[in-house]
Amino acid sequence: MHDKPAVSTAPAVVHGPPTTFISKHVFSLDHKVIGKQYYALALAAVLTGMVLSWLMRIHLGWNDLAIPGLQALSPNGAPSGVMTPEMYLRIMTMHATFMVFFVLTTAPFAAFGNFFLPIQVGAEDMPFPHFNMMSFWTTFVAFCVLVTAFFTTDGPPLSGWTAYAPLSAIGKDTGPGQGTGQIIWAAAIGIFCIGQLLGALNFISTVLDMRCKGMTLKRLPVTAWAWFITSCMGLTAFAVLMPATILLILDHVAGTSFFIPSGLVINDQLVPHSGGSTLLWQHLFWFFGHPEVYIAIVPGMGIITHVLITNMRRPMVSMKAILYSMWALAFLSYMVYGHHMFVSGMNPFSSLVFSFPTLMITIPSTVLVLIWIGSLYGSRIRINAASLFALGFISMFVTGGVSGFFLAQPSIDIMLHATYFVVGHFHMVMGVAAIFGIFSGTYFWFPKMTGRMMNETLGKAHFWLTFVGTYCTFMPFHYLGWAANVRRYSAFTDDYLKPLIPLHQFITIAALFTGAVQLTFLYNLVHSLFRGAPAPANPWEGTSLEWTMPSPPPWNNFGGKDPVVYHDADQYGVKTASGADYIMQDSPEPSPTGC
Amino acid sequence: MARLLAVTIIVIAIVSAIPVIMHTWEAPADISTHGQMIDDQMADTMIEAGISFLAAQILLALFIWKSPSNKPGPEGKFKVFPGGAKGLIIASIVLVGVEVLALGAFGSKAWARVYFTPPAADSMPIQAQAGQFAFYFRYPGKDGKFGPIHPELISEATQNLFGLDPEHDVESRDDIVAAELAIPVNKEIHLLMHAKDVSHSFYVPALRIHQDFVPGLDLSVHFTATKIGKYEIVCSQLCGLGHYNMRAYLEVMSPEDFDDWQKKQAAAQ
């Protein structure tokens, strides 16, 4: 990290204004339009994923219940409306794939990052706008490819979002959807990786090369740092997953045996493969898979920190501690992936080697939590929908984080591996916490993105109902895990699992309730988009560069001017000549703190 | 509204902790010689994670509760956390870092007990085979040796579940194949694991044993059951549409009953 003031070395004009409807709204080079496109894609994916989760939860609560309309949608998957085990697994696979890849990766990172990163560093756009456009449209193609799995004769795969080989590699004989469906899944994820790699390269170049005059690395807002760190993780993680998906496809179509060992027998027939390694897939997948957790959550950490300092009207106790902790999480995320494989058959000594960095990751996580909480001490926080979701994020992150104490230990993993405890843990920390970050960012930045304010009353109601609803949904998952409830079961027929069914029914009711509550958000989003009150340039009295321009910003962000930055983005709680309690980054007014 | 949030966080934290404190939902009771170490480790972790969870949530709620009444000092500044960032970072490292690393160190002993100790010389070898969607178990018979598996001979149609060739392999002739895992109580079992098709898992919650079957890898676990009874063996590794229904039973018997069982099985082969 150097402190030398940076001057943009990129051409002053990255691209011209859009001249046609297509170049403005469809194949746009404008990072802001691309950000909105990513957001819309994430919204479509989250709605699809949520409906799929409802179907799963109804089936788990009431196994024999006929779901109206399901038979019409899938005559084979739900004869008489009752879901078959294979349909349950297909839905589960698609739910997780939509959520992990197309929601948790795209919304906090690609959507908000695209819209705000160039603005926050003082650039007119990203350095490679064509790559940026390709990034979105590649991701969109990946989404479409994935959706086609629903419409093939084979149907979607049932091997879960982790697609463990050799179930995912052998082909149709291992189960419905494991032929064409699995190939489509692997192709979609491979294409998705290309989109994210293009995006990550652009993000990194934007931060390193496109900062305006005075925007030193130390003056970057925390969100810009979060997206930069996430990009670095994405660059290495997706670069590993993409070739892995290619190898998986080759095992299907080219007769290779990367993930298939010899001597396997399916339907009394010897599988014509030999020499592959089952664990190779797991190593490649989790080398991506664990950093992916942080790809989902680190942008949220940046967003809620940004939202909190704006609403507390004071900087964090230590922004440096927050930044170093996020870097530590990113670094350690590559050293801990083996904790997903404690009982996988890898060398048991490796389990201990992976266990200690996993336990150590608790330290930067705790630093982050204590800095957030410690910064609240003595603060008078402005309560609005954005800050409520930011505070909710901390609570969720704590809850999801402490369950990591258990899963980091191989000896305890003997009991909890592949149980609902794991489901509760990652839904809390990577799902709900990350989505709270997305909600916080949406309520905070919607005025800037659209030029209209969202309804705060509805936003607050959305928070309260979601906060309680998500706890009711995901906290009991931990109890199920302690009771050794195995995950990925479409029904609970084992004697020791039957007493747990009432708890599953409670979770289902809570999940349906929480899902229904999201309609308030959707209504607020759509209604505000057309009918919301016009947004001022700086509704929250923020300091970073996005608040220096009209809402929404013009196509070239700064109206053709080169912004100059004089301060970091933490100049809150200061006395200024105008009487305001903050100094914007581009204000030449001297800061009392000298930053 | 800040205070309502503080109260909500406290209520959620306490309500969440009640089922844990009351042991409302728990794993089946341990029946193994090594399980107590795992249970102790789980209990220690539960205490430390529980304290961390409650402390963090209460602290968060407390500062949110106080937020509306915080006023700036004479110079317009709000109070900063005593000790500042340094105190918070030291607290993170001392209170949590040392705590979890200590947990890891002690937990390693329980892991080592299961995975780093070789099976006793007189342990009983049993082979487990997992395939979509059933477990089968093979006992070596009187000769104490397993006949080799010939994958090309595996056939459910002919019930040659392990692909044995007794015509050519002498060791196979007295092998006993069963759909349940019958074992004598207080006798160490050395379970040799073989995957027929895709990955599966051997999970016996009551036995505190959990190990994947990995195609292409010969893995093994060893354990001693201490309580006579019938317990469920479940598959925890997603293996296909019948995954939820893939199970077998572990029958822990007295040595006499086990001998009778073996004789009956041998006669029926």
Side-chain angles (χ1 to χ4, degrees):
Chain A
M1 189 190 293
H2 67 80
D3 201 20
K4 194 175 149 194
V7 181
S8 173
T9 53
V13 179
V14 179
H15 58 80
T19 51
T20 63
F21 179 86
I22 297 284
S23 66
K24 189 174 182 183
H25 297 291
V26 185
F27 296 112
S28 174
L29 298 175
D30 186 341
H31 67 98
K32 299 183 292 299
V33 176
I34 295 167
K36 287 184 191 174
Q37 287 172 326
Y38 264 118
Y39 195 95
L41 180 66
L43 203 59
V46 79
L47 290 173
T48 315
M50 191 173 70
V51 170
L52 295 178
S53 73
W54 284 350
L55 295 174
M56 287 161 65
R57 284 309 325 170
I58 291 170
H59 182 71
L60 289 177
W62 292 271
N63 235 224
D64 300 324
L65 187 73
I67 301 172
L70 201 57
Q71 187 184 8
L73 281 174
S74 177
N76 295 329
S80 353
V82 179
M83 204 183 287
T84 57
E86 58 268 36
M87 186 177 184
Y88 172 83
L89 291 175
R90 291 173 196 271
I91 287 176
M92 180 200 75
T93 302
M94 297 300 266
H95 159 76
T97 308
F98 281 127
M99 291 301 199
V100 172
F101 292 99
F102 294 95
V103 179
L104 297 175
T105 307
T106 55
F109 170 64
F112 289 134
N114 254 301
F115 198 103
F116 289 104
L117 182 64
I119 295 174
Q120 287 192 342
V121 304
E124 191 175 283
D125 207 311
M126 293 204 178
F128 311 112
H130 285 89
F131 274 3
N132 205 20
M133 180 180 71
M134 278 168 63
S135 162
F136 169 73
W137 284 106
T138 310
T139 308
F140 180 74
V141 168
F143 181 79
C144 294
V145 169
L146 186 66
V147 170
T148 59
F150 282 114
F151 303 103
T152 58
T153 320
D154 200 27
L158 49 68
S159 58
W161 82 282
T162 52
Y164 270 20
L167 179 65
S168 61
I170 292 174
K172 59 182 171 54
D173 291 340
T174 56
Q178 291 310 102
T180 313
Q182 189 70 66
I183 295 170
I184 288 172
W185 180 92
I189 299 308
I191 296 167
F192 179 86
C193 291
I194 296 169
Q196 296 313 300
L197 287 170
L198 289 170
L201 281 169
N202 243 330
F203 275 48
I204 291 169
S205 313
T206 303
V207 171
L208 296 181
D209 286 343
M210 299 294 283
R211 285 171 288 130
C212 66
K213 188 176 178 185
M215 183 60 85
T216 61
L217 287 173
K218 278 187 178 176
R219 286 177 180 168
L220 280 177
V222 62
T223 36
W225 270 114
W227 291 315
F228 180 62
I229 294 166
T230 307
S231 308
C232 295
M233 283 191 281
L235 196 65
T236 39
F238 289 112
V240 171
L241 182 62
M242 187 182 67
T245 58
I246 294 171
L247 301 186
L248 188 62
I249 293 171
L250 289 175
D251 273 6
H252 278 266
V253 301
T256 57
S257 299
F258 291 105
F259 306 120
I260 310 172
S262 59
L264 305 188
V265 178
I266 309 252
N267 299 334
D268 289 353
Q269 298 294 315
L270 201 58
V271 175
H273 287 268
S274 64
S277 165
T278 300
L279 289 186
L280 174 62
W281 170 263
Q282 294 187 32
H283 281 289
L284 292 173
F285 183 84
W286 288 118
F287 187 84
F288 144 80
H290 203 78
E292 167 61 23
V293 173
Y294 294 95
I295 288 171
I297 195 75
V298 166
M301 292 170 170
I303 291 168
I304 68 116
T305 307
H306 195 60
V307 169
L308 284 176
I309 56 174
T310 308
N311 285 291
M312 290 189 306
R313 315 306 296 162
R314 65 192 293 183
M316 287 283 150
V317 179
S318 168
M319 190 59 87
K320 203 185 269 183
I322 286 190
L323 297 181
Y324 283 132
S325 296
M326 290 197 298
W327 274 116
L329 290 178
F331 177 70
L332 287 169
S333 72
Y334 289 97
M335 301 166 68
V336 304
Y337 77 86
H339 71 242
H340 296 270
M341 298 170 60
F342 284 153
V343 300
S344 69
M346 71 174 177
N347 188 324
F349 183 73
S350 304
S351 298
L352 294 183
V353 173
F354 280 116
S355 169
F356 279 91
T358 310
L359 288 161
M360 278 171 63
I361 219 164
T362 314
I363 296 172
S365 304
T366 309
V367 171
L368 282 164
V369 168
L370 289 187
I371 294 287
W372 288 324
I373 294 178
S375 301
L376 281 168
Y377 176 88
S379 304
R380 190 155 62 194
I381 188 166
R382 292 175 179 172
I383 295 294
N384 47 46
S387 65
L388 282 171
F389 273 106
L391 294 169
F393 174 102
I394 300 172
S395 176
M396 293 290 173
F397 185 68
V398 166
T399 308
V402 293
S403 53
F405 287 21
F406 295 84
L407 298 173
Q409 300 177 59
S411 59
I412 293 181
D413 201 54
I414 290 173
M415 284 307 289
L416 297 179
H417 179 76
T419 66
Y420 271 87
F421 190 88
V422 180
V423 183
H425 168 69
F426 72 70
H427 271 89
M428 275 287 186
V429 78
M430 163 190 194
V432 179
I435 285 176
F436 269 45
I438 297 170
F439 283 141
S440 183
T442 303
Y443 286 110
F444 188 67
W445 279 320
F446 185 88
K448 182 57 60 185
M449 293 172 81
T450 64
R452 292 185 183 273
M453 301 297 290
M454 287 184 86
N455 184 313
E456 268 294 311
T457 310
L458 262 183
K460 286 173 183 166
H462 173 223
F463 166 77
W464 286 108
L465 298 172
T466 305
F467 188 61
V468 175
T470 45
Y471 262 112
C472 288
T473 306
F474 296 111
M475 204 63 207
F477 278 42
H478 299 83
Y479 311 144
L480 291 169
W482 277 315
N485 194 154
V486 178
R487 65 191 280 214
R488 292 171 159 176
Y489 274 21
S490 59
F492 304 112
T493 54
D494 298 274
D495 293 338
Y496 82 99
L497 294 179
K498 283 176 186 166
L500 301 174
I501 291 174
L503 192 51
H504 276 285
Q505 291 170 339
F506 173 82
I507 292 171
T508 300
I509 292 165
L512 292 173
F513 166 78
T514 313
V517 165
Q518 304 318 306
L519 295 175
T520 61
F521 171 73
L522 199 62
Y523 171 79
N524 199 352
L525 198 74
V526 176
H527 185 264
S528 304
L529 190 61
F530 299 104
R531 299 276 171 85
N538 192 3
W540 314 116
E541 300 180 299
T543 59
S544 44
L545 291 180
E546 72 263 34
W547 307 114
T548 62
M549 56 188 60
S551 305
W555 69 270
N556 53 357
N557 296 345
F558 297 94
K561 295 173 189 164
D562 291 329
V564 179
V565 162
Y566 299 92
H567 313 283
D568 61 28
D570 291 342
Q571 298 302 311
Y572 291 100
V574 292
K575 282 185 177 170
T576 62
S578 64
D581 70 342
Y582 63 103
I583 304 175
M584 302 200 72
Q585 281 194 280
D586 67 343
S587 166
E589 183 173 357
S591 160
T593 59
C595 293
Chain B
M1 194 168 279
R3 293 195 163 159
L4 181 61
L5 178 59
V7 172
T8 308
I9 291 172
I10 294 285
V11 169
I12 286 174
I14 292 170
V15 170
S16 300
I18 288 172
V20 182
I21 295 164
M22 303 288 288
H23 299 277
T24 312
W25 290 284
E26 284 196 310
D30 170 43
I31 60 151
S32 70
T33 51
H34 68 274
Q36 191 58 46
M37 287 182 82
I38 294 172
D39 288 0
D40 290 347
Q41 187 65 19
M42 181 79 93
D44 290 347
T45 306
M46 194 80 85
I47 292 166
E48 296 196 20
I51 291 170
S52 303
F53 167 73
L54 288 172
Q57 300 285 7
I58 289 168
L59 213 56
L60 174 65
L62 181 69
F63 293 166
I64 294 173
W65 174 272
K66 286 191 160 189
S67 173
S69 57
N70 285 329
K71 291 190 176 86
E75 290 182 9
K77 294 281 179 193
F78 285 87
K79 278 189 290 181
V80 178
F81 191 80
K86 210 173 180 182
L88 293 165
I89 294 165
I90 291 169
S92 305
I93 295 167
V94 172
L95 294 180
V96 179
V98 173
E99 170 192 322
V100 293
L101 290 176
L103 269 180
F106 288 114
S108 300
K109 283 173 71 181
W111 178 254
R113 168 71 182 78
V114 179
Y115 281 99
F116 292 173
T117 53
D122 65 343
S123 61
M124 176 188 289
I126 301 173
Q127 188 174 48
Q129 178 174 273
Q132 291 179 322
F133 301 98
F135 297 98
Y136 291 105
F137 303 94
R138 183 159 67 126
Y139 298 75
K142 283 181 185 168
D143 64 356
K145 291 177 183 170
F146 292 109
I149 293 175
H150 301 279
E152 68 280 7
L153 297 180
I154 292 178
S155 168
E156 291 202 22
T158 61
Q159 286 292 292
N160 189 355
L161 302 166
F162 278 82
L164 304 182
D165 185 5
E167 275 186 37
H168 300 97
D169 302 326
V170 180
E171 297 96 333
S172 297
R173 289 176 190 164
D174 63 348
D175 287 1
I176 297 167
V177 175
E180 62 180 346
L181 177 59
I183 61 169
V185 70
N186 294 324
K187 172 79 178 169
E188 188 174 62
I189 306 299
H190 185 203
L191 195 74
L192 309 161
M193 302 171 69
H194 177 252
K196 188 185 97 174
D197 40 36
V198 299
S199 295
H200 301 272
S201 201
F202 180 83
Y203 182 31
V204 191
L207 203 51
R208 306 300 189 255
I209 284 286
H210 200 157
Q211 176 63 57
D212 282 0
F213 289 87
V214 183
L217 272 186
D218 289 328
L219 300 168
S220 72
V221 287
H222 57 98
F223 52 84
T224 305
T226 57
K227 197 174 170 190
I228 291 171
K230 192 172 181 178
Y231 309 94
E232 281 166 311
I233 302 168
V234 296
C235 177
S236 71
Q237 188 61 262
L238 178 55
C239 56
L241 65 93
H243 171 56
Y244 76 102
N245 211 19
M246 180 168 166
R247 77 165 75 86
Y249 284 97
L250 167 72
E251 284 256 26
V252 184
M253 304 172 171
S254 66
E256 301 75 32
D257 287 348
F258 178 71
D259 286 341
D260 287 346
W261 178 86
Q262 261 199 317
K263 281 173 192 161
K264 280 181 195 162
Q265 292 292 322
Q269 298 290 308

